[in-house]
């Protein structure tokens, strides 16, 4: 199984799941917002210019993702000491 890079901002309660090579920096060309009523929150799917899914943004992440995943995610809300 491939390793996924996941970032989490606890203050914003937002996570991002990267579905690309960690060394790649693809550009988001199109974002598809999932219906918040149907999924019970806000989830956005990001696609590149070729139509490939490159990432998933999850708002209200603590209610949508397993806690172990958030615990293992790279924290982006922690300021450098």
């Amino acid at each position: 199984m491939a390793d996924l890079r996941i970032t989490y901002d606890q203050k914003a309660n937002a996570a991002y799941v990267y579905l690309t090579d960690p060394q790649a920096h693809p550009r988001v060309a199109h974002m598809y917002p999932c219906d918040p009523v149907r999924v019970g929150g806000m989830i956005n799917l990001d696609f590149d210019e070729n139509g490939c899914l490159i990432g998933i943004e999850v708002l209200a992440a603590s209610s949508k993702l397993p806690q172990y995943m958030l615990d293992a995610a790279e924290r982006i809300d922690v300021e450098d000491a």
Side-chain angles (χ1 to χ4, degrees), residues 47-53:
F47 296 88
D48 68 10
E49 63 277 349
N50 297 316
C52 292
L53 182 62

Side-chain angles (χ1 to χ4, degrees), residues 26-48:
R27 208 175 132 200
V28 175
H30 175 72
M31 184 270 296
Y32 175 80
C34 295
D35 182 346
V37 173
R38 290 187 134 188
V39 298
M42 195 66 195
I43 298 174
N44 298 315
L45 305 177
D46 290 339
F47 296 88
D48 68 10

